[in-house]
Structure formats: structure tokens, C-alpha cells
């Protein structure tokens, strides 16, 4: 169950390595109070997420369930995909834990708590969770007795556990630092948008009055063609559907991409071009799903419920910044049809009003500044995602003994 491990490693059940596994408080919590009560949603990526907290003032509960730095918390009840997620409490602020969590009190002479946290978040442990969970009313459960059966790949010396967890914590620190930098850059971009897209801050060399008007006066908007699904093919020209339009980019994942045999004269006008702005008009993320078409997206045909925008009188990059902003999200939330599948119409898009600089040149200058910020964010997110992949590889190597730390 623990996978292939070196000959000098062992794989005892967790129950042999702990003093106890303890369920948390079942007392009612409040939105305010003196001590946070950690719940299943506060366990994220092996760490404690201190957002969305509830609290207690019950001194008896606080005394009984107060966490100690290094305590490992296991989520015993959740959806089948999330049950078993684990995080370590590092004493950031006094807190107790709720009843859907289990506190693991390890034997410190046998098991390093940080090492245990990484093991329980590894792929073998996640697979074991799926094996032992029970499901009732859509909720999966892993009780304390089943938790004790988890196999723990164990180096012969505690110092090796500590070295492994230290290496993985360094990777976590890099990822956390990138997350913080990304959040800071997003805040800077948001502040820049508020100033530049409203004319509150003018770039040097530009003058003249801005005009607030519906974008419908300045754009060529085309809704996609209702290509019948019965005629989809296994190859050919990709169909740009709403599911292919994400937040600021296209997604051509194999499982969601469909094809049309070829482009003929009748449907040629639905072919998208580089630079086109496309907006998904359906779905739970309507008003948030848009993209600019790039060379790698071509050739592609526009399917119904996706809008394509071009313009000769407004810079599309400038407009794309508005479409990707809270301004457009708020507009769509106010006009969308709230049904099982929320949607907006072409006229809803056309009615979106924005303040517009008097010249294309100023629009382009603003769009360039904001686009450069977007590119910087994309680069940082790529570095962060690569760091996450490297950490996953490290876990697979270090927690199975394939790579040893001397």
C-alpha cells in the first residue's frame, strides 16, 4: 500500500506511530469570538487557510480542543474527492478544531509531524483514502479507526524524516512566496485598471474628453453558428465552444474539444482571426469567460452562444481589459438570465457602457501597459505552477525512498 520502498525502510500502520487520534469539537460556533475554530475548509494544500473563520468563547471547549504547534489535522468527512485532506497547524494563532476533523497525536520518538503531513497528502495516501472511505448521503467518511490503518513509508531514522520534510518545506516556501508576489501584482494591476480605464490618471501627452458610451456603437459582434452535434467529426477544424473559453484564455483540452470536417463558403464568416475577442454567453461563469484569439488557436470556427468582437474604431486590447474586469462582470450579473444555465445575449454585450479615450493611440497605450502587467502575472503563475510540479516530483521521490537525503 505504501508503494516500493528501500529495504531498510518499513511501512507500519499509522496506529503504531501515534498516541491517539481525536475528534474535534461539536459545539456550535459563531461568526465572532475570541478563538478560531478550524473547519474542513481551512485545510488547504497541507497548510491552514486562515480565511472564512468561525469562533468560540466557550472556555471548556477551548481547553479541551486547543491545538499545539505541529498538530496534524485530518479531514474525516467531505466529498469523496476531498475526504482525507490533511494540514499541519504551526501555532500561528491559538485555535481549536471542529468535529469533522481528527487531530493526530504522533509519537515524537517515531514520527515527525511535518513528514506525516506530507505522507498523508501524497498520492499513495489519497488512493488509500478512496479504498477505505464509506459514503452516505453524498458525503464520504473515514473514521479514526480506518485512519490508524494508513500505511506510512518510514525511513529507519527520525533524522531522515526531518531532512525530507525540511526539503519539502523549502519547496512550499518557494511556492508560498510566489503566491504572495502574484497576489501583490494582481492588486497593483487592479489599482492601475481603476485609474487608467476610468481616465482618473491620464498618460503623458494625451488630451481631450473621454466619452461614456455603449460598446455596441463601436464593435462588430457576431454570434456563432449552430453547428449540429450529429455532424461533428473526429478531426478537421476545431469548434470554439463556450467550454473552450476560460478566464482570459482558450482551452483546447482533448476532452472538451470538438471538430467540424472543413470550412466552406457558407460558414466561412464564422472563422475566427488572430486578435478577435471572444466571449462565452452561457454558463455559471458567464461574464467572466473571455479570450483573445492567437495564432495557436487557428483555424477555428465560432459555435453558437459564443460572441466574436472586432472593431475599427476602438482598440480591441483596450476593450479586452474592460471585458476582463469587474466592470463587465458586474454588468453581466445585472442583465443575465438566471435559469438553470445563466446566459447573456448579444444585445446585453452591446449595451455594456465604458469610458473611452478620444483617440485610438491613447486606448492602445493604456492597453499596452495593462497587457504588460498581464504578461508579468502569467510569467509568475507559470513559475508557480512549475514549482508545484517540481514539489510533486520531490514528494514521489523522497517519500518513497527513491531519492535519499544524506
Amino acid at each position: 500500500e505504501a508503494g516500493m520502498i528501500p529495504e531498510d525502510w518499513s511501512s507500519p500502520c499509522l496506529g503504531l506511530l501515534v498516541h491517539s487520534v481525536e475528534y474535534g469539537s461539536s459545539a456550535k460556533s459563531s461568526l465572532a469570538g475570541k478563538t478560531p475554530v478550524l473547519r474542513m475548509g481551512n485545510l488547504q494544500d497541507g497548510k491552514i487557510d486562515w480565511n472564512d473563520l468561525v469562533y468560540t468563547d466557550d472556555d471548556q471547549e477551548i481547553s479541551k480542543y486547543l491545538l499545539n504547534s505541529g498538530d496534524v489535522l485530518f479531514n474525516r468527512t467531505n466529498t469523496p474527492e476531498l475526504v482525507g485532506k490533511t494540514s499541519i497547524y504551526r501555532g500561528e494563532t491559538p485555535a481549536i478544531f471542529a468535529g469533522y476533523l481528527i487531530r493526530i497525536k504522533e509519537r515524537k520518538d517515531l514520527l515527525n509531524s511535518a513528514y506525516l503531513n506530507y505522507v498523508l497528502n501524497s498520492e499513495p495516501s489519497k488512493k488509500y483514502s478512496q479504498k477505505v472511505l464509506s459514503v452516505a448521503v453524498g458525503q464520504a467518511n473515514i473514521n479514526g479507526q480506518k485512519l490508524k490503518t494508513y500505511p506510512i513509508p518510514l525511513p529507519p531514522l527520525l533524522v531522515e524524516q526531518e531532512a525530507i520534510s525540511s526539503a519539502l518545506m523549502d519547496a512550499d516556501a518557494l511556492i508560498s512566496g510566489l503566491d504572495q508576489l502574484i497576489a501583490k501584482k494582481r492588486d497593483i494591476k487592479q489599482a492601475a485598471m481603476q485609474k487608467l480605464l476610468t481616465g482618473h490618471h491620464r498618460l503623458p501627452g494625451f488630451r481631450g474628453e473621454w466619452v461614456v458610451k455603449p460598446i455596441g456603437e463601436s464593435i462588430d459582434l457576431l454570434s456563432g453558428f449552430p453547428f449540429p452535434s450529429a455532424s461533428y467529426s473526429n478531426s478537421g477544424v476545431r469548434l470554439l465552444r463556450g467550454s473552450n473559453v476560460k478566464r482570459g484564455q482558450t482551452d483546447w483540452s482533448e476532452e472538451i474539444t470538438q471538430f467540424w470536417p472543413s470550412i466552406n463558403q457558407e460558414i466561412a464568416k464564422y472563422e475566427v482571426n488572430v486578435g478577435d475577442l471572444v466571449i462565452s454567453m452561457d454558463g455559471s461563469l458567464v461574464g467572466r469567460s473571455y479570450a483573445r484569439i492567437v495564432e495557436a488557436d487557428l483555424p477555428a470556427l465560432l459555435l453558437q452562444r459564443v460572441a466574436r468582437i472586432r472593431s475599427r474604431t476602438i482598440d480591441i486590447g483596450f476593450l479586452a481589459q474592460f471585458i476582463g474586469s469587474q466592470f463587465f462582470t458586474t454588468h453581466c450579473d445585472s442583465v443575465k438570465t438566471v435559469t438553470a444555465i445563466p446566459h447573456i445575449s448579444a444585445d446585453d454585450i452591446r449595451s455594456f457602457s465604458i469610458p473611452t479615450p478620444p483617440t485610438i493611440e491613447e486606448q492602445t497605450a493604456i492597453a499596452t501597459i495593462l497587457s504588460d502587467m498581464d504578461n508579468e502575472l502569467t510569467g509568475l503563475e507559470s513559475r508557480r505552477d512549475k514549482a508545484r510540479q517540481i514539489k510533486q516530483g520531490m514528494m514521489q521521490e523522497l517519500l518513497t525512498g527513491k531519492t535519499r537525503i544524506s
Side-chain angles (χ1 to χ4, degrees):
E1 296 288 359
M4 297 294 294
I5 57 176
E7 289 185 0
D8 61 336
W9 284 36
S10 59
S11 56
C13 295
L14 179 61
L16 298 176
L17 305 172
V18 301
H19 292 295
S20 64
V21 292
E22 306 169 353
Y23 291 11
S25 171
S26 58
K28 188 174 180 179
S29 304
S30 305
L31 294 177
K34 64 182 181 181
T35 302
V37 182
L38 300 180
R39 299 173 295 170
M40 65 177 75
N42 300 116
L43 273 54
Q44 298 292 336
D45 299 322
K47 301 181 290 294
I48 302 298
D49 182 343
W50 294 95
N51 296 304
D52 191 25
L53 293 172
V54 294
Y55 299 84
T56 183
D57 288 323
D58 189 323
D59 289 332
Q60 186 174 352
E61 293 290 297
I62 294 170
S63 175
K64 183 175 181 181
Y65 298 106
L66 188 66
L67 290 164
N68 299 307
S69 182
D71 282 351
V72 174
L73 297 174
F74 179 91
N75 184 194
R76 68 183 178 94
T77 300
N78 208 315
T79 64
E81 297 78 20
L82 294 177
V83 68
K85 63 177 180 174
T86 305
S87 292
I88 188 168
Y89 169 77
R90 298 195 179 279
E92 298 93 328
T93 188
I96 69 170
F97 61 110
Y100 285 145
L101 305 182
I102 295 176
R103 170 167 53 184
I104 302 170
K105 301 294 288 184
E106 82 284 0
R107 289 182 55 183
K108 296 187 184 300
D109 59 325
L110 298 176
L111 185 60
N112 176 271
S113 61
Y115 177 82
L116 174 62
N117 183 48
Y118 286 118
V119 168
L120 292 179
N121 280 297
S122 68
E123 283 304 315
S125 290
K126 290 178 181 178
K127 290 179 180 178
Y128 191 79
S129 294
Q130 297 303 308
K131 177 180 176 180
V132 300
L133 63 79
S134 56
V135 179
V137 198
Q139 288 287 293
N141 182 267
I142 300 172
N143 62 31
Q145 290 306 308
K146 289 180 178 178
L147 175 57
K148 288 182 178 180
T149 69
Y150 275 63
I152 306 299
L154 207 63
L157 298 175
L158 192 63
V159 67
E160 188 170 358
Q161 297 179 37
E162 294 168 350
I164 290 170
S165 60
S166 178
L168 293 173
M169 282 190 286
D170 287 343
D172 277 334
L174 173 60
I175 295 168
S176 178
L178 287 169
D179 279 333
Q180 292 173 21
L181 183 56
I182 289 168
K184 181 179 178 179
K185 294 292 186 181
R186 282 179 179 157
D187 289 342
I188 292 172
K189 163 83 187 301
Q190 188 64 35
M193 290 175 68
Q194 290 288 339
K195 293 180 179 180
L196 294 176
L197 293 180
T198 59
H200 289 163
H201 176 79
R202 300 291 293 273
L203 297 177
F206 295 106
R207 294 179 176 81
E209 294 295 322
W210 287 38
V211 178
V212 177
K213 59 182 179 180
I215 64 172
E217 298 180 13
S218 307
I219 64 172
D220 167 25
L221 187 151
L222 176 69
S223 295
F225 184 77
F227 293 92
S229 58
S231 299
Y232 289 174
S233 62
N234 294 325
S235 62
V237 183
R238 289 180 295 193
L239 291 171
L240 183 63
R241 306 184 299 154
S243 56
N244 299 116
V245 182
K246 305 299 186 183
R247 294 178 184 237
Q249 61 186 5
T250 52
D251 178 3
W252 296 109
S253 301
E254 182 177 352
E255 62 272 14
I256 61 173
T257 300
Q258 300 290 349
F259 297 88
W260 195 253
S262 62
I263 301 174
N264 57 35
Q265 187 174 358
E266 178 186 358
I267 61 175
K269 75 173 185 177
Y270 295 101
E271 187 176 7
V272 294
N273 297 331
V274 171
D276 286 347
L277 178 60
V278 293
I279 301 172
S280 176
M281 302 163 69
D282 276 334
S284 60
L285 294 178
V286 67
R288 298 157 177 82
S289 301
Y290 73 99
R292 289 289 301 282
I293 298 299
V294 298
E295 191 69 40
D297 296 318
L298 304 182
L301 289 163
L302 196 69
L303 194 73
Q304 69 181 136
R305 307 307 303 155
V306 180
R308 184 270 292 151
I309 293 176
R310 296 172 183 163
S311 179
R312 294 181 178 178
T313 60
I314 189 170
D315 183 86
I316 290 296
F318 177 78
L319 180 57
Q321 291 295 332
F322 269 103
I323 296 300
S325 73
Q326 190 64 38
F327 299 115
F328 187 65
T329 300
T330 300
H331 169 76
C332 290
D333 286 345
S334 69
V335 299
K336 68 184 179 184
T337 300
V338 183
T339 58
I341 303 178
H343 64 272
I344 55 175
S345 68
D347 285 340
D348 290 333
I349 296 174
R350 292 188 183 99
S351 68
F352 177 49
S353 292
I354 64 172
T356 308
T359 66
I360 289 282
E361 290 76 15
E362 185 173 5
Q363 298 170 26
T364 303
I366 292 170
T368 299
I369 291 173
L370 297 178
S371 179
D372 287 346
M373 291 181 172
D374 287 334
N375 291 337
E376 184 181 15
L377 275 167
T378 299
L380 288 170
E381 288 166 351
S382 178
R383 284 178 57 193
R384 188 263 318 275
D385 294 343
K386 181 68 173 178
R388 286 175 174 169
Q389 292 174 4
I390 291 172
K391 181 199 165 185
Q392 287 301 314
M394 290 174 63
M395 289 178 68
Q396 292 173 13
E397 291 287 314
L398 296 176
L399 296 177
T400 59
K402 290 179 182 177
T403 297
R404 304 292 289 270
I405 297 179
S406 57

